[in-house]
Amino acid sequence: MTRRIVVCGAGIAGLAVAHRLAADGAEVVVLERAPRPRTQGYMIDFFGPGYDAMEAMGLEPRLREVGYPFTEATYFDERGRRRAGLRYDQFATAIGGRLLSIMRPDLEQVLREALPVGVRLRFGTSLTGVRNEAGGVEVELAGGETIEADLLVGADGIHSTVRRLVFGPEREFFRYLGFHTAAFLVEDAEIHRVVANRFGLTDTVDRQMGFYGLRDGRVAVFAVHRESDPHLPHDAREAVRRAYGSLGWVAPRVLQECPPAGEVYYDQVAQIEMPEWSAGRVTLAGDACQAVSLLAGQGASLAIAGAYVLADQLATAGPIEAALAGYERLWRPVVIEKQQAARRGVQWFLPGSRLQLRMRRIALKLARLPGIDRYVAGTLAGKSTTLIGQLAQARDQRQPVR
């Protein structure tokens, strides 16, 4: 009998799980609160298990088409002088060449375009209630409509509505890491020329901005700063200008051109830690249950890989309850390791003192040496996992992974 599955969230995790579930014959409905696909987001270095999953899904060639061939992540001081850098070819070689840089909205578009025929993608649809029963789930939508399904997958991000309705308030699972982050786009030909083909970063303490030129001539801006207060500001543009106003190089020009608050992505840097990801006929995926934070550098990769594992177990592990148990058993250890690695790497990601800043510069210079380059790449990438490859091979052979 065909299973009917509702996926809440049309972001990276939601689209990935919908793709895999529908490919395995499920009837899938995707609900998204936003009225249309989001255009906000930042550049991500895409590697690790998510890369393996996209390859297994046949989407790696399309990723290569929309990816960006950056040569280096370069750190500049307040006067625009190069202080340190990490060549992308070094990092790529150290992890087997399986690396690409891609804008987050472009990654979503690749997944959205690849959805099998029959997947119902409903934008502008809010979930307001969940009736979780032994044999199925009933989803209530704004306006009074209800949908009955065999399973509800909450892939609706770090501030998940599904998690709140089924598992409890956000505060019980939310681990704030002491940073705020922002991303937006500006049009500036001069800055685009300066950062062409490389990721330009401010070499600064406690706050950092990054800039990269896009194909359409715009400049994508990424920002992160230490903030003791986890509450989000009312005006994102004003908050960005206030937090980064002391930076030099091209930052003043970018801040002057910062778009209105509604066009700025702004959020806390946090992790989600839960004792269980599933309850009855409801389960969570992506940042809703396993956010590692941007400090880990693999949030998108882990979201796609986790969605792949969930869909694989639903297709191969028999009853839904057994599949959800297998999903947690296989994937939770990977998530825990990445979350721990992210917390350990805070000072590398954003130095908290001038001494830590100098130590990072020295480490990046040493990274050019044979052997040390692999150590640095391993530190940034964290522990590798072959789980996705094992699942793909086991499915081909029709054998469960234990």
Side-chain angles (χ1 to χ4, degrees), residues 158 163 173-174 270-274 287-291 339:
I158 195 167
R163 188 186 63 230
F173 315 110
F174 194 84
Q271 295 180 338
I272 296 295
E273 298 173 309
M274 301 182 66
D287 283 354
C289 63
Q290 53 197 15
Q339 288 182 327

Side-chain angles (χ1 to χ4, degrees), residues 131-138 148-152 280-282 321:
R131 184 174 299 170
N132 190 10
E133 300 177 344
V137 63
E138 185 177 85
E148 294 183 353
D150 297 297
L151 178 69
L152 169 63
R281 291 300 183 95
V282 178
E321 291 76 12

Side-chain angles (χ1 to χ4, degrees), residues 93-110:
T93 298
I95 60 174
R98 303 170 67 78
L99 166 72
L100 56 84
S101 299
I102 185 171
M103 287 291 289
R104 190 179 184 93
D106 291 343
L107 178 55
E108 289 186 6
Q109 182 178 349
V110 169

Side-chain angles (χ1 to χ4, degrees), residues 173-328:
F173 315 110
F174 194 84
R175 181 170 185 162
Y176 179 60
L177 298 181
F179 301 86
H180 282 191
T181 185
F184 54 92
L185 300 171
V186 299
E187 295 188 17
D188 192 303
E190 177 58 24
I191 297 177
H192 191 280
R193 183 192 64 79
V194 170
V195 298
N197 299 319
R198 61 181 170 181
F199 184 14
L201 296 148
T202 62
D203 190 46
T204 42
V205 173
D206 283 340
R207 62 205 66 239
Q208 182 180 78
M209 297 188 80
F211 316 94
Y212 26 85
L214 304 182
R215 293 187 186 89
D216 61 7
R218 292 182 297 174
V219 176
V221 182
F222 162 79
V224 61
H225 67 278
R226 280 186 167 80
E227 175 56 69
S228 59
D229 184 359
H231 295 94
L232 296 176
H234 295 294
D235 187 327
R237 177 168 62 176
E238 181 58 31
V240 167
R241 287 177 168 174
R242 182 172 61 251
Y244 303 97
S246 63
L247 299 185
W249 187 34
V250 299
R253 186 164 174 167
V254 167
L255 294 175
Q256 182 62 35
E257 299 171 3
C258 183
E263 299 175 27
V264 177
Y265 165 82
Y266 194 106
D267 207 349
Q268 303 135 316
V269 176
Q271 295 180 338
I272 296 295
E273 298 173 309
M274 301 182 66
E276 294 180 332
W277 296 345
S278 303
R281 291 300 183 95
V282 178
T283 192
L284 302 174
D287 283 354
C289 63
Q290 53 197 15
V292 294
S293 84
L294 59 85
L295 303 182
Q298 296 186 63
S301 176
L302 294 173
I304 292 173
Y308 186 96
V309 174
L310 171 59
D312 176 88
Q313 291 299 287
L314 286 167
T316 64
I320 287 178
E321 291 76 12
L324 299 182
Y327 161 53
E328 290 204 40

